[in-house]
Amino acid sequence: MKTTIKVISVVVFLAVGQALAGEMVVIGNNNVPLMDTETIQKVYTGKFITVAGINVTPVGVKPGTSERNRFLREFLNQDEEKYTAYWTVRRYIGKGTPPAELSSASELINYVQSTPGAVGYIDEIELKQGMNVISHR
């Protein structure tokens, strides 16, 4: 009986957590223009380092977070394993390094707002007035 109650509690908790999650949004420093999904894919895979003449610096959150998993799935059509493998090869052949990984959404927000050209992703529930939303899904 206790096991059943625990299982039901976990299922309800996960369902509520997903219900509270909003859209994934990509934010940029105030000098970063709007981007479509294809451009974001190219920025996060190191294929674009400038957008509309602006040098861009993508950042993300650490692996294993729900925000990162959702971003990889919704914007890059990848999972953690494929994304890590992609960057392992690119680094090996000298074609760049993966985006920096910050420890939390608040750290990412602070970095993006204070760094010209910075781009990052967050759940829309983290949005604050005045943020530059450059894309969403």
Side-chain angles (χ1 to χ4, degrees):
M1 179 72 169
K2 286 184 180 181
T3 303
T4 303
I5 291 172
K6 287 180 182 178
V7 169
I8 291 171
S9 297
V10 169
V11 169
V12 169
F13 175 77
L14 292 173
V16 169
Q18 285 298 318
L20 294 176
E23 286 188 326
M24 285 305 301
V25 295
V26 179
I27 59 172
N29 186 270
N30 288 335
N31 70 334
V32 177
L34 293 175
M35 294 184 202
D36 60 19
T37 301
E38 183 180 345
T39 301
I40 290 168
Q41 288 171 348
K42 289 181 179 182
V43 166
Y44 274 87
T45 56
K47 294 175 182 169
F48 280 3
I49 57 171
T50 61
V51 175
I54 305 292
N55 289 335
V56 291
T57 305
V59 295
V61 292
K62 292 195 178 275
T65 61
S66 62
E67 292 92 347
R68 181 176 172 115
N69 292 337
R70 285 180 58 210
F71 174 77
L72 291 175
R73 184 178 64 247
E74 294 177 18
F75 280 90
L76 304 185
N77 298 315
Q78 294 185 8
D79 59 18
E80 186 65 46
E81 187 176 322
K82 284 182 182 178
Y83 190 66
T84 300
Y86 171 83
W87 276 108
T88 299
V89 170
R90 277 191 72 88
R91 189 176 6 221
Y92 181 76
I93 63 173
K95 295 285 185 177
T97 58
E101 297 168 352
L102 305 175
S103 61
S104 67
S106 61
E107 189 177 330
L108 183 142
I109 290 167
N110 289 336
Y111 181 85
V112 168
Q113 289 183 318
S114 64
T115 307
V119 175
Y121 52 85
I122 58 173
D123 189 294
E124 77 175 333
I125 61 174
E126 300 285 341
L127 280 175
K128 294 172 181 55
Q129 190 171 16
M131 287 185 175
N132 181 20
V133 175
I134 60 173
S135 190
H136 63 88
R137 274 197 107 131

